[in-house]
Amino acid sequence: MSENSERVLLHVKFLNDRIEPTVEGVRTGASLRVVARTTPDGRVTVSGSVSHRVHRMRASGKVFRYWQTVQAFSLLRTKAGIVVLRVLENDSRKNRTQHLFAGGEYQLAQLLHKLGDQTLLDPMRHHEWEALDQDVRVVEGPAFEDHGWCEIQARMSLILRDLQGETLGLVGDLPVAGERFPLLKEVSACRLGHSGLMHFLDAEDYKTVAENVFGKTRYRKPLAREIQRLVEHMLARPDWRSSHDMSVLNWFRLFRGLVPIDWIIESMRRTENNHYISLRPAELVQARALFRRVPQPILGRILAQPIAQSVRIIGDTVRDLGNAHVQLRDLDLLPELIKARGQRRIRGSRDLETLVRSMPQAWVESRSLARSNQAISTVINEANALHEMHSYNEQIARLEGRDLPVATWELWRDPEFRRAADEFLVEYRRELMTAEQREREARAERCRQERLSCEKKRAEWAADVAEKLDGMCVGEHRLVVARDADTLARWGSQLNNCIVGYAHQLGLDVFVAVIDDQGDSAGRVRLNIEINHEDGVVQFLGTNNRDAVKELEKGSAQLVLDAITGIGIPVHEYALGLQQLALPVRDAVTA
């Protein structure tokens, strides 16, 4: 067996040292490196990445550079003879995996084309390629003698096309999908890349598929028959997006070894058709970790539920648990919580989700993410402080006849200096106010004082009316005035209305409840009345905002209205709830 070896297939590196660094950071270079590594068993892995050189400046003036990986990929052939393409995108932190079969060379071509664009377009600012020989220098790779952007892009495309052919030559011919998946010859090679279909690799019968999914020791003939039924249903449907997918096996695979295999077979029998399982590989791992901490009876209830409902709920649950970089829940506490609540009280996936979401949050970051977030926070804070310092220097530069120090970064970091600078700028802006600005400010102050005076009068009026009405007995009823928001909320819940929404007017308007004072229903709220300073009575409503006559007898409602108007409170012309009640013309308010 040969030893591990590595060979560089392509290394293109551009730098532009004339671009000045900024606090936010500017890209001054790009590097595309592709290498081929040979394993001891003779298999070749081709991997590569595109990195951008970022040129930044600290607020103190210190300049530093670093390389940031934008995208990386690896192409390898597994021991089973399947070609796997993995792509890692640094911005979204996503790792996409797909399997390449004969006819899928275009997927590799698209990836290499994207890598070429990231190498040339973003960092080099293509509108400046006219000065390539002056600004941009080629550190590694072929020299681009042409100065035009189109020629440079075409040259890179040719290089990547040659790299594609060399890569496929090293990895080997792509496998033929129909030969490796005998049971799924009608499925397109693109759909065979899904993880839900890899259980059918080199499987001549459904017994092998069942053993690949659930293990040889758990094989049952009904299990193979159910898988065959789902596959035939999948192949019979014309819609390839919803049918050519067997990720439903990944759902049943989560219960392997945790429940009896007969339970899984029974759940598969209740699954009438194939369902698309929208759980990513990382979420499947989290779901398996969750199920391992759940007692068997609860898992049986989850299997008994409709699969679409269970998958949606479990998916939301595991996404709430966090990911590999940030953990939001501690699953080790789950068995104790289930024991304390009782297994019988957890009737399915919905109750399990409620229990998991009620667990205390434990924000645990990985070390790499914590260091990254700390560095990003430091740079952002320095950039904001530097912007404030430049704003201060620009303002004092416009002042004449004042001896003020120009702020440097070391001086700006002094809290005493910054406090004095803020006080000076506030005082200076006040001095620069024009007569119009001062008049506008005085006018706003007069409006504020008038509003306060009006509210004071309304408050005095409301207190006087409340003192007259609170506790007044009218026939078999008693009037009660609300003093706080809790009282309004209670009335609103009893009468099913929105009176609690007027809580901000307490103390300025008067809100009265008509309550039964005698009989078995003593204490029951019958009506809500709103009285304001300008219009008097504006609402006189009962349960569900019904008219007062529908809630009380006409005579009782008329007595309450007469008692209110008897103390000098008018009634608005368009008041609500006063139909069929007599309103003296002299008390009506003209709209």
Side-chain angles (χ1 to χ4, degrees):
M1 298 179 66
S2 59
E3 298 179 355
N4 291 325
S5 61
E6 179 177 312
R7 180 166 65 92
V8 178
L9 301 181
L10 176 64
H11 190 191
V12 180
K13 187 176 182 180
F14 301 100
L15 296 178
N16 190 340
D17 296 326
R18 296 194 177 187
I19 300 178
E20 295 296 330
T22 62
V23 177
E24 292 78 12
V26 61
R27 297 171 181 176
T28 60
S31 173
L32 170 61
R33 190 171 187 268
V34 182
V35 298
R37 297 180 178 88
T38 304
T39 58
D41 57 0
R43 292 183 291 115
V44 178
T45 300
V46 178
S47 59
S49 63
V50 173
S51 302
H52 292 165
R53 189 180 75 165
V54 182
H55 203 173
R56 306 192 74 147
M57 180 178 63
R58 297 288 295 270
S60 59
K62 182 180 179 180
V63 177
F64 64 99
R65 304 180 182 89
Y66 60 91
W67 287 90
Q68 182 180 23
T69 301
V70 179
Q71 193 171 49
F73 79 96
S74 66
L75 184 69
L76 58 93
R77 180 181 294 273
T78 64
K79 292 183 179 180
I82 297 296
V83 178
V84 180
L85 176 63
R86 294 188 177 93
V87 180
L88 173 63
E89 298 179 355
N90 188 43
D91 294 340
S92 58
R93 295 182 180 270
K94 291 183 179 179
N95 188 357
R96 295 183 290 105
T97 302
Q98 53 185 330
H99 304 87
L100 300 185
F101 298 96
E105 294 83 355
Y106 73 96
Q107 300 178 22
L108 179 61
Q110 288 181 344
L111 173 63
L112 294 178
H113 178 73
K114 184 177 181 180
L115 295 179
D117 287 346
Q118 291 175 339
T119 305
L120 296 178
L121 287 176
D122 291 340
M124 303 316 339
R125 297 186 298 181
H126 63 273
H127 61 277
E128 295 185 357
W129 274 94
E130 298 298 333
L132 175 65
D133 56 340
Q134 298 179 4
D135 293 342
V136 179
R137 57 188 179 92
V138 181
V139 180
E140 296 285 349
F144 293 94
E145 299 176 354
D146 300 322
H147 300 285
W149 166 248
C150 295
E151 292 80 0
I152 292 173
Q153 195 175 29
R155 179 75 181 278
M156 178 62 76
S157 299
L158 292 176
I159 294 174
L160 294 177
R161 187 180 305 170
D162 296 339
L163 175 64
Q164 177 185 351
E166 185 178 3
T167 299
L168 293 177
L170 292 173
V171 176
D173 296 335
L174 298 180
V176 179
E179 297 177 356
R180 303 304 303 273
F181 294 87
L183 298 177
L184 302 176
K185 292 182 179 181
E186 301 179 11
V187 181
S188 63
C190 180
R191 300 297 298 174
L192 288 174
H194 285 209
S195 59
L197 298 176
M198 294 308 295
H199 306 299
F200 296 83
L201 179 65
D202 297 331
E204 299 289 344
D205 51 24
Y206 290 99
K207 175 183 177 181
T208 305
V209 178
E211 292 176 349
N212 292 338
V213 178
F214 299 101
K216 294 183 179 180
T217 60
R218 301 178 181 88
Y219 168 73
R220 304 287 188 277
K221 288 184 179 180
L223 197 61
R225 288 197 295 266
E226 292 303 322
I227 294 177
Q228 181 179 1
R229 179 181 62 84
L230 292 175
V231 172
E232 292 175 352
H233 181 272
M234 175 189 72
L235 298 178
R237 296 186 61 178
D239 186 2
W240 65 273
R241 288 186 179 273
S242 60
S243 61
H244 291 179
D245 183 273
M246 283 299 295
S247 59
V248 66
L249 295 180
N250 286 334
W251 169 254
F252 295 113
R253 185 183 174 90
L254 292 175
F255 299 88
R256 184 184 66 171
L258 303 178
V259 300
I261 195 66
D262 296 335
W263 294 8
I264 299 178
I265 296 174
E266 186 63 27
S267 179
M268 295 179 70
R269 286 174 179 169
R270 288 192 296 268
T271 304
E272 298 180 357
N273 51 23
N274 188 23
H275 288 275
Y276 170 67
I277 306 301
S278 58
L279 294 178
R280 300 175 181 175
E283 295 171 354
L284 289 172
V285 174
Q286 283 280 36
R288 178 69 178 181
L290 174 65
F291 287 168
R292 287 174 59 188
R293 292 167 172 82
V294 175
Q296 191 178 89
I298 299 177
L299 295 179
R301 300 183 193 115
I302 295 176
L303 275 173
Q305 291 180 330
I307 184 173
Q309 174 186 353
S310 299
V311 169
R312 184 180 67 254
I313 295 174
I314 295 300
D316 294 339
T317 303
V318 297
R319 279 187 286 271
D320 187 63
L321 292 175
N323 51 45
H325 299 283
V326 179
Q327 294 292 330
L328 302 180
R329 300 287 191 276
D330 186 5
L331 283 180
D332 293 335
L333 299 176
L334 186 59
E336 297 181 6
L337 293 177
I338 294 177
K339 183 178 180 181
R341 177 164 296 189
Q343 296 183 14
R344 294 184 179 180
R345 300 185 62 185
I346 303 177
R347 299 176 295 274
S349 55
R350 179 65 68 186
D351 292 340
L352 180 61
E353 179 194 21
T354 303
L355 182 62
V356 171
R357 291 184 181 274
S358 65
M359 295 172 60
Q361 290 193 3
W363 184 274
V364 180
E365 290 183 345
S366 63
R367 293 184 178 180
S368 59
L369 182 61
R371 289 195 301 267
S372 176
N373 290 339
Q374 184 178 4
I376 293 174
S377 177
T378 300
V379 172
I380 292 177
N381 292 336
E382 287 189 355
N384 294 336
L386 193 64
H387 177 74
E388 295 175 1
M389 184 189 74
H390 290 329
S391 176
Y392 167 78
N393 288 336
E394 291 175 0
Q395 294 189 56
I396 65 173
R398 294 193 295 265
L399 299 180
E400 298 180 356
R402 301 202 182 191
D403 187 11
L404 297 172
V406 177
T408 61
W409 178 246
E410 290 75 12
L411 191 59
W412 191 254
R413 294 177 61 184
D414 184 5
E416 293 296 329
F417 177 82
R418 295 191 64 173
R419 182 183 59 79
D422 291 340
E423 293 178 356
F424 164 74
L425 291 178
V426 170
E427 185 64 27
Y428 175 65
R429 294 189 186 99
R430 186 178 292 110
E431 293 177 359
L432 292 181
M433 291 176 62
T434 61
E436 181 181 356
Q437 290 174 322
R438 287 194 292 271
E439 176 61 26
R440 183 166 58 250
E441 189 175 279
R443 186 164 56 251
E445 180 62 21
R446 287 195 300 270
C447 293
R448 189 179 72 88
Q449 293 296 336
E450 292 176 359
R451 177 175 55 81
L452 292 177
S453 177
C454 180
E455 291 182 355
K456 183 178 179 181
K457 292 180 180 179
R458 289 179 59 187
E460 293 176 353
W461 168 86
D464 181 63
V465 173
E467 184 179 356
K468 294 179 181 179
L469 294 180
D470 195 16
M472 179 184 293
C473 294
V474 182
E476 298 179 353
H477 303 90
R478 177 169 47 89
L479 305 184
V480 178
V481 176
R483 305 292 183 177
D484 50 42
D486 293 339
T487 303
L488 292 181
R490 187 172 67 256
W491 292 353
S493 63
Q494 293 178 7
L495 298 186
N496 193 25
N497 58 28
C498 59
I499 192 172
V500 70
Y502 297 90
H504 63 285
Q505 295 293 337
L506 279 172
L508 302 178
D509 294 343
V510 179
F511 300 93
V512 183
V514 179
I515 300 177
D516 289 339
D517 198 29
Q518 300 178 7
D520 297 336
S521 61
R524 177 187 173 189
V525 179
R526 305 299 299 277
L527 296 175
N528 281 156
I529 305 171
E530 180 189 358
I531 306 173
N532 62 39
H533 181 264
E534 292 81 10
D535 304 321
V537 177
V538 294
Q539 295 193 55
F540 203 82
L541 301 172
T543 305
N544 297 321
N545 288 332
R546 293 188 301 180
D547 294 342
V549 174
K550 295 181 180 180
E551 183 67 29
L552 298 178
E553 296 180 357
K554 183 176 181 180
S556 299
Q558 187 66 52
L559 285 177
V560 174
L561 181 61
D562 293 342
I564 294 176
T565 57
I567 63 173
I569 298 177
V571 179
H572 194 270
E573 182 180 2
Y574 299 108
L576 301 177
L578 297 180
Q579 284 74 7
Q580 303 182 27
L581 294 181
L583 179 63
V585 178
R586 58 184 178 83
D587 290 338
V589 176
T590 304

